[in-house]
Amino acid sequence: MSSSDGSSAGGEPGQQEIWEDWEDNESSGFKSLFSDARFSSLDEVLQHDHNLTGFSLKSYRAQHGLDQVCTIRLINYIRTAVAAGQDPVPGLAGSQQAWQTDDSYLQPVLADDELMFYDWEQEEEGEQEDGQQAGGSAAAGQVQPSAASSQQRLQEENEALRGMVEALKAVVLQGEGVSELVADQSADAEGGASAGGASDSTAAAEQSQDRAAAAIDASYFDSYSTFDIHREMLADKVRTEAYRDALEKNPGLVSGARVLDLGCGTAILSMFAARAGAASVVGIDGSEQIAGVARSIVEANGLAAHSGGPITIVSSKVEQLAALPAAAPVDSKLGRGQVGGEDGQQVDVLVSEWMGYALLFESMLSSVLHARDRWLRPGGALLPDIAKMYVAAADEGASGLAFWKDVYGFSMEAVRSSLKADALQRAVVRCVAPQHLLSEPACVHSLDLATMREAEQDFTSPFTLTPGAGPKEVHAVVLWFDTLFSERFCAQHPVCLSTGPSGTPTHWMQTVLVLKQPLTWAPAAVAGDTPGVAVAITGQVSMARSKQTHRSLDIVLRYAPRFADGSSGEEQVTLYGLGVHS
């Protein structure tokens, strides 16, 4: 992986430490849903919770007919509410509650949650068998499930649980040694099934994953077929003018070149390239509807290839494109000979506006790298070619939660608490005013699109943040990115597209990671030996493409306060999601 400003990506050791830290707690027993108490047995913790609140998890399951997956959602819903200082019990009334279908509650709140990994349905079956034996002849008349149906149900439950483990692995496992260990354990667990059954189960699971990925892709491309989102992007002057300047102010790069515009949308970048003198431009978009619109726009501007212009629009996922449209031979000022190489299947410039929230949301970078390896000629240019990611500490104003403390003289703490509980599971995307930042930014990751491997999108990087003034309370870590059209390819006019809080706001805004508890810090000269006042925050940020939800992003923030005497406070680890749904 690339390093940036001395901050090594160093993913594998840090990620293995996270996983090992989580595994170290596996034998810590059953933790109460409503307190910090832990017990050695399930019965003890359930009795404790019932005595404490009057709530019985076992009875609630039976009354509402919850299966294993719904029980996991219930456990994480309760833990989330309790962690946010809310009473979860009112949200349990009625037969249909939002948490019952919210897949975010499949993400563990506790890494060592024995309640979540307990086989509730096996215990239920045991209780039913005991009741049937006690019922004598009455039980004899009941129809028992067949062995085949029981095996099928167990396979389905196993797939669901395995999926949750994969969601964790997507975030905290990148080291090959740890991944191999888990793979070996999974293989051992499957060893008890027949070869035919295991093969059928694997094939069914793969087909299900493929269908889910296809559905999410369809939803993703469909979201770009509406005009509102294209207006938002085109109206983003920071974004659009950066691409315009990179293409039009570097004639030595673009004039006479064959250009590939990946994710062309309304074809604005294709038309910039044509105006800059490109000999041939191919625009590719995965949305058939928007590709049709792009063709109409290009034709209306006299730039369509069939009428003598340079631009051809193709509707396809780039991974499924068998060949580029043919380009006519031209005499190139740049000595390229035929545009696109001898077979017309290479391009000189690959341009794409691929960035998502937190840079990597939507996973479009994988498509760019595929296009680079398949279509870009050796030595060809990528626009942009460098991406850098930054973090900084921020106050409560960065998250917007402070608004609810005083609304026309009234406290709306209930709203603030609810939003904070959600923000501890899902990253918040919003514009952060620069006055809410409490530190200088730290660069945590850098990507060189010309040389990087696809796996480098998933990373863990360390950071250290120090206060500019204080004492002040840190409530969040803010993340943003810059993309560079560097001198390597844009020698005549390099461009930097920044999405940071100090610049003009962009449609990407910033990504806010809300802390579980605020911490107080101040410069060392001010903090001195004051108890509980930190002089720095040290930690790691990890990002990984979600293996469970295609195009979604998992972010793990691991941090601890550091004090003037060199000691560190309690370390916190939080998993945030940025999701795309089918």
Side-chain angles (χ1 to χ4, degrees):
M1 292 187 181
S2 303
S3 60
S4 52
D5 300 337
S7 298
S8 170
E12 295 182 1
Q15 288 159 332
Q16 184 165 344
E17 288 170 8
I18 293 176
W19 184 253
E20 289 174 348
D21 287 350
W22 284 25
E23 287 190 322
D24 286 344
N25 293 326
E26 283 187 351
S27 60
S28 55
F30 294 90
K31 184 180 183 296
S32 166
L33 289 169
F34 301 94
S35 73
D36 291 329
R38 288 183 182 267
F39 300 88
S40 59
S41 74
L42 176 68
D43 289 339
E44 287 177 322
V45 72
L46 295 182
Q47 187 61 49
H48 168 81
D49 286 349
H50 185 264
N51 293 341
L52 188 66
T53 66
F55 174 78
S56 169
L57 178 57
K58 189 179 293 187
S59 298
Y60 188 88
R61 284 192 73 251
Q63 291 169 4
H64 294 271
L66 301 186
D67 60 13
Q68 182 79 19
V69 173
C70 248
T71 302
I72 290 170
R73 289 192 180 101
L74 170 61
I75 291 167
N76 287 315
Y77 161 73
I78 294 174
R79 293 207 187 282
T80 299
V82 171
Q86 298 174 326
D87 180 6
V89 175
L92 303 176
S95 59
Q96 288 294 328
Q97 297 296 330
W99 58 264
Q100 294 181 10
T101 56
D102 189 342
D103 285 348
S104 67
Y105 290 117
L106 291 177
Q107 296 179 352
V109 176
L110 295 181
D112 61 338
D113 199 338
E114 296 289 347
L115 281 178
M116 195 185 75
F117 292 107
Y118 186 79
D119 191 343
W120 292 94
E121 294 189 355
Q122 183 181 37
E123 173 173 295
E124 197 172 70
E125 287 178 358
E127 292 174 350
Q128 290 174 352
E129 289 174 4
D130 291 343
Q132 289 165 1
Q133 291 172 3
S137 59
Q142 295 178 359
V143 178
Q144 300 300 315
S146 67
S149 63
S150 296
Q151 182 181 5
Q152 177 65 27
R153 182 179 58 76
L154 289 172
Q155 286 176 349
E156 291 173 355
E157 290 174 3
N158 187 42
E159 288 301 324
L161 291 171
R162 187 176 299 162
M164 285 181 290
V165 173
E166 286 297 323
L168 290 174
K169 285 163 59 184
V171 180
V172 299
L173 286 181
Q174 301 304 324
E176 291 181 359
V178 182
S179 298
E180 290 169 0
L181 173 62
V182 173
D184 290 343
Q185 290 174 340
S186 298
D188 290 342
E190 292 171 356
S194 67
S199 176
D200 292 344
S201 177
T202 300
E206 289 176 351
Q207 290 174 1
S208 177
Q209 291 171 357
D210 289 344
R211 286 195 298 271
I216 290 171
D217 273 346
S219 176
Y220 166 71
F221 289 119
D222 185 62
S223 72
Y224 282 91
S225 67
T226 62
F227 297 130
D228 286 346
I229 192 169
H230 290 282
R231 179 187 175 114
E232 181 182 22
M233 292 188 292
L234 292 167
D236 184 344
K237 287 191 172 184
V238 175
R239 164 201 179 266
T240 307
E241 292 180 1
Y243 278 88
R244 181 199 64 189
D245 291 350
L247 290 164
E248 294 191 354
K249 295 184 179 181
N250 287 282
L253 173 68
V254 180
S255 181
R258 180 155 163 89
V259 177
L260 177 61
D261 176 9
L262 181 58
C264 66
T266 56
I268 185 66
L269 304 188
S270 295
M271 292 189 290
F272 286 155
R275 193 162 64 185
S280 171
V281 183
V282 178
I284 302 176
D285 201 277
S287 167
E288 184 174 351
Q289 179 178 342
I290 202 65
V293 171
R295 290 189 193 99
S296 298
I297 292 172
V298 167
E299 187 169 356
N301 285 276
L303 297 172
H306 66 78
S307 58
I311 301 176
T312 302
I313 302 297
V314 177
S315 174
S316 174
K317 289 181 63 176
V318 70
E319 293 85 354
Q320 298 173 354
L321 188 63
L324 294 179
V330 297
D331 293 327
S332 172
K333 299 176 183 177
L334 305 179
R336 295 187 179 100
Q338 283 188 312
V339 174
E342 293 183 0
D343 61 357
Q345 292 302 296
Q346 288 186 319
V347 299
D348 304 301
V349 178
L350 170 57
V351 62
S352 180
E353 195 276 80
W354 55 267
M355 300 84 73
Y357 298 134
L359 182 65
L360 298 174
F361 177 59
E362 294 181 345
S363 297
M364 188 179 166
L365 180 54
S366 296
S367 297
V368 175
L369 300 181
H370 176 89
R372 177 199 68 184
D373 297 340
R374 176 66 180 86
W375 308 111
L376 188 63
R377 68 170 175 83
L382 283 111
L383 303 180
D385 60 316
I386 301 290
K388 293 178 179 287
M389 197 176 300
Y390 299 88
V391 296
D395 62 23
E396 191 173 19
S399 67
L401 294 175
F403 170 84
W404 301 100
K405 288 185 173 180
D406 184 352
V407 182
Y408 295 99
F410 299 100
S411 170
M412 295 191 178
E413 180 61 25
V415 178
R416 194 193 76 86
S417 296
S418 178
L419 291 174
K420 181 171 182 179
D422 187 67
L424 290 172
Q425 296 185 58
R426 302 178 183 85
V428 176
V429 178
R430 68 190 308 271
C431 282
V432 176
Q435 63 264 28
H436 293 305
L437 298 186
L438 301 179
S439 73
E440 291 297 316
C443 183
V444 292
H445 199 45
S446 181
L447 297 171
D448 184 340
L449 273 68
T451 61
M452 68 175 287
R453 296 175 292 109
E454 184 178 1
E456 291 178 44
Q457 297 176 75
D458 304 334
F459 70 92
T460 293
S461 289
F463 65 84
T464 298
L465 302 175
T466 55
K472 293 187 177 181
E473 282 194 341
V474 180
H475 286 257
V477 169
V478 178
L479 186 151
W480 68 89
F481 63 88
D482 291 350
T483 51
L484 309 178
F485 305 78
S486 76
E487 292 181 357
R488 171 172 48 185
F489 299 126
C490 296
Q492 293 164 291
H493 189 84
V495 178
C496 175
L497 192 172
S498 178
T499 67
S502 298
T504 303
T506 70
H507 77 283
W508 288 287
M509 298 176 276
Q510 289 83 40
T511 301
V512 182
L513 308 178
V514 175
L515 306 187
K516 291 179 181 177
Q517 296 294 334
L519 59 87
T520 302
W521 74 350
V526 177
D529 297 328
T530 306
V533 178
V535 297
I537 298 173
T538 59
Q540 294 177 332
V541 62
S542 303
M543 285 194 183
R545 294 159 291 170
S546 173
K547 288 184 172 63
Q548 283 307 104
T549 310
H550 181 51
R551 296 193 181 276
S552 295
L553 183 67
D554 292 327
I555 306 173
V556 172
L557 178 66
R558 179 177 183 170
Y559 67 95
R562 192 179 70 202
F563 301 106
D565 62 2
S567 64
S568 296
E570 181 181 1
E571 187 175 73
Q572 301 287 336
V573 181
T574 306
L575 167 65
Y576 308 86
L578 275 174
V580 171
H581 303 286
S582 59

